[in-house]
Every structure is written in structure tokens, then in C-alpha cells.
Amino acid sequence: MAGVIIRRIGGSLSARRYMLGALPLRQRLACESQCQLARRSAPLHSSAVLERLVSFHLSDIGEGIREVTVKEWYVKVGDVVEQFDNLCEVQSDKASVTITSRYDGKIAKLHHDVDSIALVGKPLLDFEVEDDDENDSSSSSSDDESESPKDVMSAMTLPGQLTPGKVLATPAVRRIAMEHKVDLGKVRASGRNGRVLKGDVLEYLQLIPQGTVKPHPTLEKPSRPAAAVAASASKISPAFVDLKDAHTVVPLKGIAKAMVKSMTEALKIPHFAYCDEIDVTKLVSVRNQLKEEAARRGVKLTYMPFFLKAASAALREFPILNSSYDESAESVIYKAYHNISVAMQTPNGLVVPNVKNVEQKSILQIAADMNALQDRGTRSALTPDDFANGTFALSNIGIIGGTYTHPVVISPQVAIGGLGKTRVLPRFDAAGNVTAAHIMVVSWTADHRIIDGVTMASFSNLWKQYLENPNMLLLAV
């Protein structure tokens, strides 16, 4: 049996459930209703027993990131959310990450505004959640879900359970539906993205009055058409601004802020530069022969996969260019894997993810990996792993139109190549005749503390040999 204990504490009433045995849901809800009525009899009292405040901390995103910029909040104070609902999107110096909820509860406080800096390990927002003595008083954005897999499996395999289909609901809600043999497909959903909430099931069972649970804002129709809002906004005349005093202060954030730090550190390294030109006429012909077959396999084949594969083949002969320098230990760390970083433009700015294990992949596999990186970059969906453990870098400035460049070494890497625009220029062939040739200029930059000019020039000559005779890539190990 069960009952409700009503106690007066300091002139106010508090109510608390206690269970002397396992009871059906209807009786448990009756007890909860009595508790709520007891609380209402003392309107100035807020029971810390039935609900509590939980701080939701920003978890470690990885790659040594200690701070992020809040790009967008998907919730506001007072919103009711469920587990796995999106809370906000944050931007590190490398990628965007969507933070999801661990709790069912109400948003009590947002600790940061949009475009402000949030620190890893510090509170991101506060929840009001139902009290549970077994839960901790704070959580992290990477904590495990509140129900163990064992509990979920037991809820899924208990006798008499109805198949819920593809209805969105938490295991706790499914358990209630199973106990009362309720088909969740027949319950009106009021949660985000059509999720069935506990209150929806209780309304369906007529245990609480209809209309108690309010639909999520995304399910409600806007009270005013968007076209009308846009039309009224267009009628508002812009305010007059005195151009003599007008100026805008834009704080650096995200990728721009990270570039200040990384470039400041990089320019402490003594750079050595070396340039050469490559006749890629044969490579142009080979690529034209292969691009249609690659497209048939769903891969866009550009020149960059050839450049990466040739670099990987040359790095086998000059492994010091695929190393990093440990300044504190005064030692060189040689890397067995070739994770070649590639600079690419995205809506958030220039980023440098890397293609993993180029030495183990074919040109078509490298092209597929680059297509995937470019797609994620366009959607601002690159992850910290896409940037991790780069060992060498190539930057194709030629797609913008430049010919010569002086790229900056990305620490802790020790070398980078800048590729210029390929131009059709007159050149002498083997017979001394003037012919049209496709010429590309490459500009190498290296950490002069451990890379000397002979090493860089020798590497460049071998890389050039592979590109001027692309069939040699078939012989590369």
C-alpha cells in the first residue's frame, strides 16, 4: 500500500511520496496529485523535494579545446525539453558541435548569450528536474543516459507490451504505455519533433484534464504569417546614421580567433622557402581520362588526390618531412602514417582538415575522402577528429587564381606546400620545338630548425617526377 505524508516545516507544508510496495500507475498518480494539492495550499513555499536545480556542464570536446563560442540557442528560459533534444550549437576553433539534453525538465537559466565564450567544464545552463535521490546534482553534456541498457531492455521485453512502431518516446513513457496497454501511435504527441510525453499518455488515460500539456512551440502554427512580418518590416525606414562617426567593432570568435593564436605561434618558427614549376600536361590528360569513370562511381576527381598521393610516395623517401619537432626534448618525432592536411574554404572561413592514412589508399579512395570532407565543411559539420593528427599539408591557392605564395607551417608539422594556378604557357619539348604546356608553380615552406634546403629541394624533385610522369604512381608502394 501507499500513502502521502504531509508535514509542516517552518510554517509551510511539504509533501512527499513514499512507497511501501509496488502499485499500479493510477494509484501512484493519485498520490502525486495529493502531494501537488498540499503544495498549492502553501503558495509561497517551493518544495525542494519534488523538484531541484541541476547545472548542465559543457563537456570536453577533445583536441585540447578549452573554450567554445555559443553560436545558437535552440531553447530559452521556461522551455520544457526532453532527453536528446538539441540545446545549442557551439563553435570551437575547428568545428561546430551540437549539444543535446541529458534530462527531461524545464530550462531555468542560460549561462551564456549568443557569441559569448563558454568554458569546458563550466555550467552551460540550468535545469529544473523532478527530484530523484539516485541522481547527481549536476551533469555534463557527454554523460551517459539516465536509464541503463538493462532497464531499457527489460522495458522492451516485459510480457504484454504493445509494439510502439516508430513513435518517438523515452523508455519511461513506453513503460507507462505498456502497463496500461496503450498504443502510443494513438496518443496525441506534444513534444519536440512529435515526441510522445508522459503527460500525453496521462491525458489519453484521462488521469489529468485535457489540455494540461501544452504542445512544443515547433508544433504550433505561427500567429502571424511570415510574409506579413516581412512586408511590415520592409515598410520600416532605416535610421539615419552619421557616417563621420560610424564604425563597427567586431570581436573575433571561432575560426578567426583561433587563426590569431595559431599564426602567432607559427611565426615563431624560422621558415625556409623553396619554389619550383611543374609541367602537369600528362597529368591533365590522365585526369581527363579518369574523371568520367570516377563520376560513374559517385566520386568527383580533381587534381588534389594526385598531389596527395605523389606527396605520400615522396614522404616515404624523406620521412623527416612527415615528422614533428619536440622543442622541450630537442628531438624529432617521425610519424608512420601520412595524414595530409588540405586547406579548404567553408562558410565559417578557411579550415585545414586532413585525409587520413594517404599511404594506404588509392587515388580514388583519397578523392572520395576529400569529397566527404568538403561536404561536411560546406554544412559546418566537420568534427575535431577531422583535424586531429595531421602530419603534412598542401594548400591549393590556385583555385582562387594565385600563382606564387608563401604558406605558413602549421605547428607541430614541419612542412607545407602551396599550389599555384595551372597556366598554359609556351615551353620547349625534347626536340626543341615550342609547344603549349600546362605549368603549375609550387611554393614549399619548411621549419628551418630541422629541415635544410637540400632535403626540401630533393623532396620537391621527387614529387615533381611523380606528377610529370603520373604512371609512376602505379609503381609507388
Side-chain angles (χ1 to χ4, degrees):
M1 58 184 293
V4 176
I5 299 176
I6 309 294
R7 295 183 297 175
R8 182 176 298 276
I9 303 175
S12 62
L13 292 175
S14 64
R16 184 181 181 98
R17 308 178 292 195
Y18 72 98
M19 301 298 299
L20 300 179
L23 292 179
L25 175 65
R26 192 179 298 271
Q27 296 184 31
R28 294 203 304 268
L29 293 172
C31 294
E32 292 180 2
S33 299
Q34 295 180 44
C35 294
Q36 293 174 358
L37 290 174
R39 283 198 296 167
R40 294 194 185 104
S41 66
L44 297 180
H45 174 68
S46 177
S47 174
V49 175
L50 296 181
E51 62 180 23
R52 62 191 175 90
L53 203 63
V54 175
S55 292
F56 189 84
H57 294 171
L58 179 64
S59 65
D60 186 3
I61 298 176
E63 283 296 296
I65 296 170
R66 306 312 305 163
E67 64 180 31
V68 296
T69 301
V70 179
K71 292 182 59 179
E72 181 180 1
W73 282 107
Y74 300 131
V75 296
K76 62 181 182 298
V77 174
D79 283 356
V80 177
V81 299
E82 296 183 334
Q83 293 183 42
F84 316 118
D85 282 355
N86 292 340
L87 299 177
C88 66
E89 182 177 358
V90 298
Q91 172 76 53
S92 71
D93 58 350
K94 295 181 177 179
S96 296
V97 179
T98 299
I99 305 299
T100 58
S101 174
R102 180 187 184 274
Y103 285 111
D104 296 341
K106 184 169 70 173
I107 305 299
K109 180 180 179 180
L110 305 180
H111 286 270
H112 304 282
D113 297 326
V114 173
D115 290 334
S116 64
I117 301 298
L119 300 178
V120 171
K122 299 298 182 181
L124 191 62
L125 70 163
D126 292 341
F127 280 98
E128 287 182 3
V129 299
E130 183 178 350
D131 186 32
D132 188 345
D133 292 338
E134 296 179 358
N135 288 339
D136 296 327
S137 61
S138 64
S139 71
S140 171
S141 55
S142 64
D143 286 344
D144 293 334
E145 299 170 15
S146 57
E147 295 199 25
S148 66
K150 181 179 178 181
D151 295 336
V152 175
M153 291 303 297
S154 64
M156 294 174 62
T157 57
L158 287 176
Q161 180 183 6
L162 293 175
T163 303
K166 295 183 179 180
V167 177
L168 294 176
T170 62
V173 173
R174 295 185 188 278
R175 184 185 292 274
I176 295 175
M178 179 272 298
E179 289 178 354
H180 289 268
K181 296 181 172 59
V182 173
D183 183 356
L184 289 177
K186 298 179 180 180
V187 178
R188 181 184 62 85
S190 64
R192 185 186 182 96
N193 299 325
R195 187 185 296 272
V196 176
L197 307 179
K198 175 182 176 182
D200 299 333
V201 178
L202 299 183
E203 282 191 8
Y204 182 83
L205 294 172
Q206 298 182 352
L207 297 178
I208 60 176
Q210 293 293 323
T212 301
V213 181
K214 302 299 181 184
H216 192 274
T218 58
L219 302 180
E220 296 179 342
K221 296 182 178 180
S223 59
R224 187 180 182 191
V229 175
S232 61
S234 64
K235 296 179 181 179
I236 301 175
S237 58
F240 175 76
V241 178
D242 186 356
L243 297 181
K244 294 181 179 179
D245 300 325
H247 65 277
T248 303
V249 177
V250 180
L252 291 177
K253 56 183 182 293
I255 293 175
K257 184 176 180 180
M259 186 168 65
V260 172
K261 296 179 180 179
S262 61
M263 291 298 100
T264 300
E265 290 299 317
L267 290 179
K268 296 178 181 178
I269 299 172
H271 282 56
F272 165 78
Y274 177 84
C275 295
D276 199 0
E277 67 174 34
I278 319 292
D279 185 346
V280 293
T281 304
K282 292 181 181 179
L283 178 61
V284 171
S285 176
V286 170
R287 184 251 181 181
N288 287 337
Q289 295 172 25
L290 297 177
K291 67 178 182 180
E292 290 186 4
E293 175 61 23
R296 190 181 66 81
R297 301 186 187 187
V299 178
K300 180 181 178 181
L301 182 61
T302 65
Y303 293 106
M304 283 299 291
F306 294 93
F307 299 152
L308 266 65
K309 189 61 180 178
S312 178
L315 287 173
R316 291 182 181 274
E317 300 296 326
F318 300 94
I320 194 170
L321 290 169
N322 194 61
S323 67
S324 61
Y325 177 57
D326 186 345
E327 186 172 2
S328 60
E330 295 186 344
S331 59
V332 178
I333 304 172
Y334 288 84
K335 311 294 178 63
Y337 48 88
H338 298 168
N339 293 349
I340 301 183
S341 303
V342 180
M344 60 177 58
Q345 184 65 25
T346 70
N348 293 323
L350 189 70
V351 296
V352 193
N354 61 71
V355 180
K356 310 291 187 188
N357 303 116
V358 175
E359 79 285 357
Q360 301 176 15
K361 297 178 178 177
S362 67
I363 290 175
L364 201 61
Q365 290 173 325
I366 297 169
D369 285 357
M370 291 192 64
N371 291 171
L373 286 175
Q374 188 66 62
D375 177 66
R376 292 200 294 274
T378 302
R379 295 184 288 107
S380 300
L382 290 169
T383 65
D385 183 63
D386 292 325
F387 300 88
N389 302 319
T391 61
F392 188 80
L394 290 176
S395 176
N396 189 3
I397 194 65
I399 60 175
I400 307 299
T403 304
Y404 300 91
T405 183
H406 188 283
V408 178
V409 175
I410 307 170
S411 180
Q413 299 174 21
V414 297
I416 182 174
L419 312 177
K421 179 181 179 180
T422 299
R423 300 171 295 164
V424 179
L425 299 173
R427 289 294 186 270
F428 290 102
D429 62 14
N433 301 315
V434 176
T435 60
H438 292 78
I439 303 299
M440 180 188 73
V441 174
V442 60
S443 303
W444 301 105
T445 307
D447 184 343
H448 211 1
R449 293 175 298 181
I450 60 173
I451 307 297
D452 57 39
V454 173
T455 302
M456 191 74 256
S458 300
F459 169 85
S460 180
N461 289 339
L462 182 56
W463 184 75
K464 174 180 179 177
Q465 186 178 358
Y466 280 119
L467 295 181
E468 292 189 338
N469 302 280
N471 290 334
M472 288 185 59
L473 289 174
L474 299 175
L475 304 178
V477 179

